[in-house]
Each structure stands twice: as C-alpha cells, then as structure tokens.
C-alpha cells in the first residue's frame, strides 16, 4: 500500500506541483510598503522586474554606437523583451545636447570650437593619418610663432593613444572630447534598461531573455576581446545570479552529504537493514509531504522549498528514535513482534508529543505577514504529522520484511557514555559556564542585528553583484533610488522643495529637470557655433598602395616630431611644453618600433595608429552637426514619449527620483536615508524602501511566530505532560541554546538575514525533540542520570543531531553568502542543542529529582 501510494503521489506531484520564484509574493500584500510598490508598478510598469545593461567603452563614441546597435537589436526581439530603453541614444537628446550644458561651459566650448574649426575642416577633407599629422604640425608651428591655440588636451590625448597602441592595449582617440576641449577619461558608460519577459514556471524565469541579450551582444561584436564591454545587472539579473549561486555545486555537495549521512546512520544503527528502513521512511514521508503541498497550495516558493531540508532533519529524528528503541527492547530478549509493540508504545508517546509540538511551532507561521514562510509552516507542520504516521506504520512493517543482518559492535556508543559521565564531575563548572553565558547574553544580545541588504547574501564574486555595487558606490547615479509619486505639479514642487532640504539626499530629479534652463541665452551661442563651424563634410580617404601610404605617413609623423623638437627648444616656458614633450617622446618610441619591424608589420602598425586616431571622427562630426543645428527652445510637452512615460503617467501622476547622499550599501546609511524620506513622503517606494521594510516585516513575522509557537508549545506540553516541572525542564535547554546561539552570532559578527533566519524553525524543532525525549524517558522509566545516558534515547538524540549536522555543514562552503551563513548558524545551533540537552539537562534533571525527593 505504501509503495502504491508513493508511486501515485510521485506522478501527481510531477504533473501538478508548480514553482513560483517571484520574490514579490513572499510578503503579504496588505503591508504598506507592498501597497506603495504595487501602486508604483501599476503606474510605471516599465520599472518593474527590469535588467540594467552597462556598456563600458574607452570613448563616448564607442559607448554610444554600441548602445544604439544593441538597443535596436533588442527592440526587434518581442519574444523575450517587453520594453527596451536607451536614454542617451535617443536622437532628441543628441540634437539638444548643447542645451543641457551650462552657459559658462557652452561659452568655453564655443571658443574652443572656433579656434579648432580650421584644423577640423582640414582633417575632414582628407581623414588620414598623414593629413592629421600635417595639420597638427601646422598648429604647433603656429604656436611657435606666437599664436594662441588650445592644443594641450589634443597633444595629451594623441600621446596617450600612441602609447596605448605600443603597449599592446589599444585606446581609441575620442574626437567628441576634443571638440569640447576635454581630457579623455579612462572609461565611458552607457545604460540600457530592459524589461524581459519572464517565465515563473521555470526555475530560472529570465534565463532565456538573458541568453538572448548575450547572443545579441555577440552579433554586434561585443565579445570578451572587444574594447566595449557589456555587463548585466539589475533586479532580475541579481535574482537569477542569486538562485544560480545558491544551487551551484549542490548536486556534488548533495551526493557527498548523502554518503556521510548514510555513514552516520550506519554507526547509529550498526546494521544496513535499519539504515535502509530510515531512508525509506524519509523518502516516503518526503513524497507524501510534497503531495500534500501540491494539493493544499499548488506550488513551492523559494522559501517553502526548504521544507525538504526541515523534513530530513526532523523526519530522520523520528525514525532514529523509534528504531533505536526497538533495538534496545530486542537486546532485552523480547521476541521481534513483541519488541515492535513495546517500542511503539513507549517511544510512540514521546514521538507523538514531539510531532504535535513541532507542528504547532510550524503552524505558528501561518498568521504572520511573511506569506512565503507561512506556506513553509503549512507544509512543514503537516509534514511532522505525516512523519509520525510513517514512522509508526511503515517503520514497524519494514522491520518485518527487511532481511536481518548481524550487527557490528561500535565503540562510539561506549565513548559517548564515558564522555557524558565525565561531564558529571564538572557540575560546578557547568553552572559557571551557564552563568558566564547568561551574563554575556545580557551584554551582547542587544547587539543582535538583521542585515537588510540583499546584496550581502549573494556571491561576492558574481558579475551582476559586483556591477551593482560599483554603481551604488557612484552616489550621483545610484540604481538604488527612492521613487515618490505626486498627484499634480503643485504637489511635485512641494515634495521636491522639502526632499532637497534633507541632508541624507544628494539630488532630486523630476520630469521637469529634463527641460534645461536658460534656453534663450544658450541658443544664440549655439547659432554662433553653427555659423563659425559651418557645414563640415567628411570625405572618404583616398586609397594608396601600402608601401606608398606607409612612407607618406612616416614622413608626416617625422615632420611633426621635428616641429615639436623646435617648439620645445624655442619655447621652454610655454604652458603646453609638457604635453608637447610627452607627444615627442611617444613619436620617438613609435619610430623605434617601426625600425624594428619589416615592411608588412610596419604598414600594419601605422594602419592601426591611423585607425586609433581617426575612427571616431565620423560619429563625432555627425553628433556635433546635429547638436549645433538646434534652433528652438522646447518644453516638457516636446520631450520624447519614451522618456515622459517613465516620469509622468497617463493618470497624471509624477515620479520624483530621490538619490542618496551616502553609499546605501551600508545598512545604517540605508536606514537613515529611508527614514528621512518617509518623514516627508510616506508613500515613497523603491528598492531601498522594499529592502528595509521587508527585512523589518520578516523580523516581526519571526518574532510573532516564535511567540505564538512558544505559547502553543507550552500549552501543549502542559496538557500532554501534565506537569509544570517537566514542561520547564523541556523548555530550559531550548531557551539556553537559543541564548547561546544569539551570543555567538554577535561574537562571530554573523547577523541574521533573509536566508539564515529560516534555520530557526529547524533548531526549534530539534531542540524541543531532544529535550522532550530526555525528559520523557527520565520520567517514565524513573532513571538516574547515570542510567539515562546509557539508553538508546541519548544515542538517538546524538545521532539525530549528528545526522542533521552532517547534512547541513556543507552549506557553510556555498558561494551564496546567505546559504553559507545558514550553514554556520545550523552547525552552531545544533552543537549548542547537543550541549544543552546531553550535558546541562541531565544535571537539571538530577537537581530537580533531588528537590522533589526532599
């Protein structure tokens, strides 16, 4: 019957059990921050569940061109993407780019363009290396004659480009920077916001969309070897990377853990047949519990999937206690059938109490706002009752059908008893240790922390995590900003005024900030630039034979070097002496490399230099011509719909983006930022709000659940044990181990987080089971502590905890920091549970018994 039931349930599970990996469903919808977030996502759906593509390039032209090509390619893929937005690629902003520059800066650019116009026009007529070198030679000659030309940035940038090529790390010259008279930066970035189509029935909902992005990037030439690098981050990428890092290597860790658990069970049972019985009970119980989850809820979430871990830890405990008690009864000489009945009657009572108290502990999560854990409570609580049913029905049946084998003698049980006997001699030392632990708790427990930062749970080596943290450190453009919705323009202005005053706020942005100020003053300057620059037509370079071209290029470069030498000699105090000397040295190094190469490699090197210096010129000229053609002012209504739809909803609401003044990757800075904004705008939402409020909701849920669990467990123990004294003896080890765990989390600087806090229900269950079995055995059999430690109950407690310890210790080595912290917490918690149950509780039992006798 069990086999047929298991097979039927397995088929039912495979056909009906779903997987919901949407983390937004983990907390109740009525929570204020969930209400605010839901309203914001409905108002601006483009922002929800998005990817952020970061393009890094050595020049702004390359970044711009790559962003344009990639965004155009992704927009065509409607199968994988709902929305693609590359703000700086929009032709509107290219055309009006100069209107966004301040008046003083625009005047400086206009002056620079006026002096550079002859050079630019000359190069544009014949965009070749020898022409460029000839024009630069003429400019240096004019400097030598006393003319004032701003050549410093140009000479520095050309020198840096030559040096990079000769060093084997090519660096393209940015003409856009030259047009503006700016020094070229090391890196330029463009951003593309992508809203992928996710499939939440799959383990990795965005995997197909992310793969499509990589494929599109490869198609346009963004490979590992290209100068432009693409990185993917954002909410969806972080979630995808987190799930992969938490599962990475789990198949190998699972095999190793399974082997180690079997070894521990073998040492505990000393026979393969009992090990097989435990494993069959575990597997059958897991299948039945998963079948219940399928029928009752219909899906698992990323929290409730942990029911399997909890079941293994506590389900094995039930089976081990029953089977070891059965073996103990057999050792007294009873027939096999009678031994099954007696072990069921004596161990069954304790197991029933354990199942009820564990179920109460898990069911206590149901009324909390943490719906992800509430589902876990429903499944795991029922799983405890299923485990009891399986242990007391299938367990005995297996004992009759699994072939008997001779038991191996084990010295571990004798050693365990001797160790525990030795601790009895240190009774006073034990009391001292308890006192020290409680005294430390008074000092350290107030320092318990909850880490609200979801990034700290992830693999620190993850690409999406590192990219996101890098962006967070650049406070000016932090991806973690707070969004505030205002109903109208008046409310927007009022909120902006008050938010700007906050010291925790760096800047506040609205749709109105995209309409530049002083447009009427800027337009005449732009028109003047257009008049001075005139229409510059870029010609195609003439084709010449490589040998002739190389010789022509070398002569032009040599003439430039000679002119620089004369300038350096004759003008030792000139302001651009250092850039001139730097370029002369770069040219000398170039000539040295050319002399060492053969004709073919010489032509190749000069062609590469030509490409490095002039490849961005066409794009830069095109963007410059578009910018200086701006001839009219514009208002908010003229902004492109792709922008306005992200800042002004169809319902008339305005979005206000509030950026932090600090790096809110720090929890304290995050809390200050969020609380300050909430004082002004309670309706604010965004990642910082969600992170902090979700963390506090989780903490509140666990406090509420554990309070309800403790009340329920105390009532259940009082009813089932009918003794206040024995109830207290069950609870004291649990409370002591909880206190010691809290002390050591502070001592080890291991804050609770969204992952490791899930370990607490398991520790609660194992703690109750262990102390309850000890008290139950001591009370029913009226055993002294010396006799108690010789029983199968103590061995079952030890091996149950050791089984769980072995099963979960491997989590400590996970690359996912949340999972690793869970492994540390479980390992530490199980160790304290053993100490409190096997060392402290026997001393308390003896002291309690002596007081009763007195």
């Amino acid at each position: 019957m069990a086999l047929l039931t298991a097979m039927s349930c397995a088929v039912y599970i495979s056909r009906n059990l779903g997987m919901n990996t949407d983390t937004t469903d983990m907390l109740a919808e009525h929570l204020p921050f969930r209400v605010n977030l839901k309203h914001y996502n409905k108002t601006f759906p483009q922002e929800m569940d998005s990817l952020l593509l970061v393009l890094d390039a050595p020049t702004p032209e390359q970044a711009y061109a790559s962003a344009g090509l990639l965004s155009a390619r992704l927009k065509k893929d409607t199968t994988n993407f709902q929305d693609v937005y590359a703000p700086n690629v929009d032709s509107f902003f290219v055309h009006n780019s100069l209107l966004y520059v301040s008046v003083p800066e625009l005047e400086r650019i206009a002056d620079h363009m006026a002096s550079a116009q002859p050079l630019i026009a000359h190069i544009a007529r014949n965009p070749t290396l020898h022409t460029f070198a000839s024009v630069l030679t003429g400019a240096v000659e004019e400097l030598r004659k006393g003319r004032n030309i701003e050549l410093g940035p140009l000479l520095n940038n050309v020198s840096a480009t030559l040096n990079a090529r000769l060093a084997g790390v090519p660096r393209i010259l940015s003409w856009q920077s030259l047009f503006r008279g700016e020094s070229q930066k090391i890196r330029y970035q463009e951003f593309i916001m992508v809203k992928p189509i996710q499939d939440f029935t799959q383990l990795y909902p965005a995997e197909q969309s992310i793969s499509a992005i990589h494929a599109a990037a490869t198609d346009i030439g963004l490979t590992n070897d290209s100068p432009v690098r693409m990185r993917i981050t954002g909410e969806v990428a972080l979630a995808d990377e987190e799930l992969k890092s938490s599962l990475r290597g789990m198949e190998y860790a699972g095999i190793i853990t399974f082997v180690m658990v079997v070894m521990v069970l073998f040492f505990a049972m000393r026979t393969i047949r009992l090990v097989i019985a435990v494993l069959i009970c575990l597997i059958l119980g897991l299948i039945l519990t998963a079948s219940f989850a399928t029928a009752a809820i219909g899906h698992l979430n990323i929290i409730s999937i942990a029911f399997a871990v909890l079941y293994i830890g506590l389900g094995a405990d039930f089976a081990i206690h029953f089977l070891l008690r059965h073996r103990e009864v057999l050792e007294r000489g009873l027939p096999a059938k009678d031994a099954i009945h007696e072990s069921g009657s004596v161990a069954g009572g304790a197991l029933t109490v354990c199942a009820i108290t564990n179920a109460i502990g898990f069911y206590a999560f149901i009324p909390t706002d943490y719906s992800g854990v509430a589902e876990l409570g429903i499944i795991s609580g029922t799983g405890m009752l299923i485990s009891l049913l399986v242990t007391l029905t299938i367990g005995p049946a297996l004992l009759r059908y699994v072939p008997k084998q001779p038991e191996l003698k084990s010295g571990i049980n004798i050693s365990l008893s001797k160790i525990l006997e030795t601790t009895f001699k240190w009774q006073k030392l034990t009391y001292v240790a308890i006192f020290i632990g409680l005294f430390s708790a008074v000092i350290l427990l107030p320092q318990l922390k909850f880490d609200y930062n979801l990034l700290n749970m992830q693999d620190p080596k993850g690409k999406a995590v590192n990219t996101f943290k890098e962006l967070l450190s650049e406070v000016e453009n932090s991806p973690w900003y707070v969004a505030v919705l205002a109903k109208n323009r008046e409310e927007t202005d009022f909120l902006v005024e008050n938010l700007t005053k906050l010291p925790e706020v760096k800047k506040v942005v609205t749709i109105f900030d995209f309409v530049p100020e002083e447009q009427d003053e800027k337009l005449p300057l732009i028109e003047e630039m257009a008049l001075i620059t005139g229409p510059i037509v870029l010609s195609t370079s003439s084709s010449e034979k490589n040998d002739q071209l190389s010789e022509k290029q070398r002569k032009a470069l040599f003439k430039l070097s000679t002119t620089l030498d004369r300038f350096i000699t004759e003008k030792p105090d000139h302001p651009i002496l250092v850039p001139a000397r730097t370029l002369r040295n770069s040219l000398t190094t170039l000539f040295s490399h050319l002399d060492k190469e053969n004709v073919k490699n010489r032509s190749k090197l000069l062609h590469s230099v030509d490409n490095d210096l002039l490849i961005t010129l066409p794009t830069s000229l095109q963007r410059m011509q578009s910018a200086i053609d701006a001839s009219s002012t514009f208002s908010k209504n003229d902004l492109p719909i792709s922008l306005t739809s992200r800042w002004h909803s169809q319902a008339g609401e305005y979005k206000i983006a509030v950026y932090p003044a600090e790096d809110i990757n720090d929890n304290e800075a995050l809390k200050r930022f969020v609380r300050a904004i909430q004082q002004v705008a309670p309706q604010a939402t965004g990642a910082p709000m969600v992170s902090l409020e979700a963390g506090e909701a989780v903490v509140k849920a666990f406090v509420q659940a554990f309070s309800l669990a403790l009340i329920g467990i105390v009532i259940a123990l009082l009813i089932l044990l009918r003794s206040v004294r024995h109830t207290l003896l069950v609870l004291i080890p649990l409370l002591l181990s909880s206190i010691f765990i809290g002390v050591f989390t502070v001592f080890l600087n291991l804050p609770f987080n969204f992952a490791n806090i899930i370990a607490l229900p398991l520790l609660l269950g194992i703690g109750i089971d262990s102390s309850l079995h000890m008290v139950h055995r001591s009370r029913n059999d009226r055993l002294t502590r010396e006799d108690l430690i010789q029983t199968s109950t103590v061995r079952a407690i030890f091996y149950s905890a050791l089984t769980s310890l072995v099963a979960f210790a491997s989590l400590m080595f996970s690359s996912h920091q949340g999972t690793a912290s869970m492994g540390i917490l479980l390992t530490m918690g199980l160790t304290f549970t053993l100490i409190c149950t096997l060392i402290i509780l026997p001393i308390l039992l003896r002291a309690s018994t002596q007081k009763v006798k007195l």
Side-chain angles (χ1 to χ4, degrees):
M1 287 178 62
L3 178 62
L4 291 175
T5 301
M7 292 173 63
S8 301
C9 288
V11 172
Y12 174 68
I13 292 166
S14 64
R15 292 180 178 178
N16 297 280
L17 183 60
M19 182 68 193
N20 181 14
T21 54
D22 189 352
T23 55
T24 59
D25 293 336
M26 295 299 101
L27 289 161
E29 290 188 357
H30 70 268
L31 293 171
F33 82 92
R34 284 291 313 273
V35 174
N36 292 339
L37 180 64
K38 186 176 181 180
H39 176 64
Y40 176 75
N41 287 337
K42 184 179 179 180
T43 307
F44 296 104
Q46 310 96 323
E47 306 289 332
M48 182 175 63
D49 297 331
S50 61
L51 291 166
L52 180 62
L53 311 188
V54 182
L55 299 175
D56 301 297
T59 67
E61 293 92 340
Q62 289 171 298
Y64 170 81
S66 298
L69 289 172
L70 184 58
S71 60
R73 181 66 64 93
L74 296 179
K75 285 178 181 178
K76 295 178 181 178
D77 188 356
T78 55
T79 303
N80 292 302
F81 308 107
Q82 298 180 46
D83 184 70
V84 178
Y85 178 56
N88 294 334
V89 173
D90 195 300
S91 59
F92 175 88
F93 293 105
V94 175
H95 180 66
N96 294 288
S97 58
L98 291 175
L99 286 173
Y100 286 94
V101 179
S102 66
V103 172
E105 179 67 10
L106 188 58
E107 289 174 342
R108 187 192 64 79
I109 294 174
D111 292 341
H112 179 77
M113 287 295 296
S115 62
Q117 193 277 338
L119 282 71
I120 297 171
H122 195 168
I123 296 170
R125 284 196 291 270
N126 186 18
T128 59
L129 177 58
H130 54 269
T131 302
F132 176 67
S134 299
V135 170
L136 201 54
T137 300
V140 174
E141 188 64 31
E142 291 298 316
L143 275 178
R144 189 179 66 82
K145 293 177 180 179
R147 185 178 174 184
N148 185 21
I149 304 176
E150 190 180 352
L151 282 183
L154 175 58
L155 298 182
N156 280 326
N157 287 337
V158 172
S159 177
T161 301
L162 291 176
N163 292 339
R165 169 56 63 180
L166 297 175
V169 284
R171 175 181 180 268
I172 305 298
L173 179 66
S174 171
W175 282 88
Q176 180 176 316
S177 299
L178 293 177
F179 290 163
R180 290 174 174 256
E182 302 169 345
S183 296
Q184 188 171 335
K185 301 177 184 177
I186 296 176
R187 183 185 66 175
Y188 293 86
Q189 288 184 330
E190 287 288 350
F191 301 97
I192 305 175
M193 288 188 291
V194 178
K195 185 175 176 63
I197 296 174
Q198 300 187 77
D199 182 2
F200 287 108
T201 62
Q202 300 298 316
L203 184 59
Y204 302 111
E207 184 175 34
Q208 183 173 332
S209 298
I210 292 175
S211 298
I213 291 173
H214 285 293
T218 302
D219 289 343
I220 65 169
L222 299 184
T223 62
N224 293 332
D225 299 328
S226 65
V228 181
R229 180 177 59 148
M230 182 194 72
R231 294 179 290 169
I232 304 177
T233 188
E235 179 185 352
V236 173
L238 290 169
D240 181 80
E241 192 171 86
E242 179 177 25
L243 190 55
K244 287 180 178 177
S245 68
S246 63
L247 297 178
R248 188 181 300 125
M250 291 299 287
E251 60 273 18
Y252 302 109
I255 295 171
I256 296 171
T257 300
F258 179 79
V259 172
M260 294 182 68
V261 167
V262 170
M263 290 173 62
V264 172
L265 289 175
F266 181 75
F267 281 118
M269 304 298 174
R270 291 182 284 171
T271 171
I272 292 294
R273 97 183 168 100
L274 293 184
V275 173
I276 293 173
V278 172
L279 295 177
I280 290 176
C281 287
L282 274 178
I283 294 170
L284 180 59
L286 271 174
I287 292 174
L288 292 175
T289 304
S291 180
F292 166 78
T294 307
I297 299 174
H299 64 263
L300 296 176
N301 58 56
I302 61 174
I303 302 294
S304 64
I305 198 173
F307 89 89
V309 175
L310 300 178
Y311 187 92
I312 290 171
L314 296 171
D317 179 66
F318 284 26
I320 290 172
H321 274 280
F322 173 77
L323 294 174
L324 284 183
R325 177 62 72 91
H326 172 261
R327 194 179 68 191
E328 180 183 306
V329 174
L330 280 177
E331 290 173 352
R332 299 208 310 261
L334 265 70
K337 188 173 182 179
D338 294 338
I340 289 177
H341 286 292
E342 181 169 340
S343 57
S345 63
V346 294
L351 291 176
T352 301
V353 176
C354 288
I356 292 172
T357 54
N358 279 326
I360 290 172
F362 285 119
Y363 286 150
F365 285 93
I366 296 175
T368 66
D369 292 327
Y370 199 178
S371 54
V373 174
E375 292 180 3
L376 174 65
I378 295 171
I379 298 169
S380 297
T382 306
M384 294 302 97
L385 302 179
I386 291 172
S387 179
L388 177 67
L389 177 65
V390 171
T391 301
L392 297 182
T393 56
I394 307 303
L398 287 170
L399 291 176
R400 298 190 63 181
Y401 290 99
V402 177
K404 292 185 178 181
Q405 291 178 329
E407 295 182 0
L408 300 177
K409 298 295 180 181
S410 173
I412 295 178
N413 296 333
I414 299 173
S415 301
L416 176 63
S417 300
K418 287 183 177 180
I419 291 171
L420 295 177
E421 285 176 358
T422 304
T423 60
F424 294 158
K425 301 175 184 178
W426 303 336
Q427 184 167 321
K428 291 183 179 179
L429 183 62
T430 302
Y431 284 128
V432 171
I434 294 173
F435 175 78
I436 292 173
L438 293 175
F439 180 75
S440 302
V442 174
I443 300 172
L444 296 177
L445 285 184
Q447 301 177 38
L448 274 176
K449 295 180 181 179
F450 187 91
D451 189 355
Y452 305 99
N453 194 334
L454 293 170
L455 292 179
N456 293 338
M457 289 172 49
Q458 301 203 33
D459 182 359
K461 298 179 181 178
K463 293 180 180 179
V465 172
N466 283 328
T467 302
F468 202 83
K469 285 185 175 181
E470 178 188 305
L471 296 176
L472 280 179
S473 64
E474 300 171 2
V475 177
E476 187 72 20
N477 295 301
S478 173
W480 267 9
Y481 63 86
V482 165
V484 182
L485 297 185
K487 296 179 181 178
N488 48 52
R489 175 67 187 269
E490 291 73 23
E491 185 180 3
T492 301
D493 293 338
F494 174 78
L495 288 170
V496 168
E497 181 182 355
N498 286 279
L499 289 168
T500 306
K501 295 176 182 178
L502 298 175
E504 295 83 3
V505 172
K506 176 72 174 179
K507 67 175 181 178
V508 180
V509 180
T510 69
I511 184 65
F512 305 105
D513 293 305
F514 291 92
V515 180
E517 298 176 347
E518 303 177 310
Q519 295 186 55
D520 291 330
E521 289 82 357
K522 295 173 184 178
L523 279 175
L525 292 172
I526 295 173
E527 290 172 1
E528 183 183 345
M529 289 174 61
L531 184 63
I532 295 172
T533 304
I536 299 177
V537 180
L538 185 70
S539 303
T540 56
S541 56
S542 58
S543 58
E544 297 183 54
K545 293 184 178 180
N546 286 339
D547 295 347
Q548 296 175 350
L549 182 61
S550 298
E551 188 62 30
K552 197 173 183 179
Q553 290 170 333
R554 183 163 184 171
K555 285 181 179 180
L557 291 171
F558 184 77
K559 186 176 181 180
L560 173 60
S561 179
T562 304
T563 305
L564 286 169
D565 276 330
R566 291 176 59 191
F567 173 79
I568 294 168
T569 303
E570 296 178 12
K571 301 287 184 180
D573 299 323
H574 199 280
I576 69 163
L577 180 67
V578 174
R581 184 180 287 118
T582 302
L583 179 56
R584 193 272 313 272
N585 293 338
S586 299
L587 289 169
T588 301
T589 306
L590 174 63
F591 296 143
S592 176
H593 277 74
L594 291 172
D595 291 338
K596 296 176 183 177
E597 301 290 349
N598 56 35
V599 174
K600 183 177 180 181
N601 289 338
R602 195 180 302 150
S603 299
K604 186 177 179 181
L605 176 57
L606 288 171
H607 176 74
S608 298
V609 171
D610 188 322
N611 188 70
D612 292 345
L613 292 173
L614 297 169
I615 193 171
T616 66
L617 181 59
T619 304
S620 299
L621 281 175
Q622 182 183 4
R623 295 188 70 179
M624 183 192 72
Q625 292 282 7
S626 176
I628 62 178
D629 283 345
S631 58
S632 61
T633 61
F634 63 90
S635 65
K636 170 188 165 297
N637 295 332
D638 300 314
L639 293 171
I641 188 66
S642 59
L643 173 73
T644 57
S645 63
R646 285 169 163 77
W647 293 89
H648 189 198
S649 72
Q650 293 181 348
E653 290 186 274
Y654 291 92
K655 181 177 82 172
I656 304 170
V658 188
Y659 290 85
E662 302 176 86
D663 181 358
I664 56 175
N665 194 37
D666 175 73
N667 280 324
E668 293 303 317
L670 171 68
K671 190 176 292 186
R672 286 192 297 270
F673 179 58
V674 169
R675 295 302 178 224
I677 292 176
Q678 286 178 329
Q679 294 297 318
V680 177
Q683 75 275 26
T685 187
M689 296 291 182
V690 172
S691 181
L692 181 63
E693 296 291 349
E696 294 190 344
V698 168
V699 172
K700 181 181 177 182
F702 270 85
V703 170
Q704 178 186 349
F706 276 102
S707 300
L708 292 174
L710 186 60
I711 294 170
I713 288 169
V714 169
I715 294 172
L717 289 174
L718 288 172
I719 293 172
L720 296 170
L721 298 179
R722 298 187 296 277
S723 168
V724 174
R725 179 168 66 90
H726 288 109
T727 298
L728 289 174
L729 287 170
V730 172
L731 293 175
I732 288 173
L734 176 65
L735 295 176
L736 285 176
S737 62
S738 301
I739 291 171
F740 295 154
I741 291 169
V743 169
F744 265 76
T745 56
V746 176
F747 183 75
L748 296 176
N749 192 26
L750 181 71
F752 289 106
N753 56 47
F754 291 95
N756 64 25
I757 201 169
I758 301 171
L760 297 181
L762 177 60
L763 295 175
L764 173 68
I766 292 177
I768 291 173
D769 285 1
S770 301
S771 56
L772 184 54
H773 279 298
M774 289 284 283
V775 172
H776 190 274
R777 186 67 186 269
S778 174
R779 186 182 76 161
N780 283 12
D781 294 357
R782 301 184 182 279
L783 299 175
T784 64
R785 66 177 183 180
E786 288 78 9
D787 294 331
L788 182 61
I789 62 174
Q790 303 293 334
T791 63
S792 62
T793 299
V794 170
R795 294 196 298 273
I797 291 171
F798 174 75
Y799 283 114
S800 293
L802 188 60
T803 302
S804 299
L805 199 64
V806 168
F808 304 131
S810 61
L811 298 177
M812 291 191 293
F813 306 102
S814 172
S815 59
H816 185 269
Q817 297 302 293
T819 304
S821 67
M822 183 194 297
I824 296 171
L825 189 62
L826 281 168
T827 302
M828 186 172 57
L830 289 169
T831 302
F832 281 121
T833 298
L834 277 178
I835 292 172
C836 292
T837 305
L838 298 182
I839 296 177
I840 296 176
L841 182 55
I843 295 174
L844 297 177
L845 284 169
R846 182 181 183 186
S848 171
T849 304
Q850 289 175 344
K851 287 182 180 180
V852 171
K853 289 180 179 179
L854 291 174

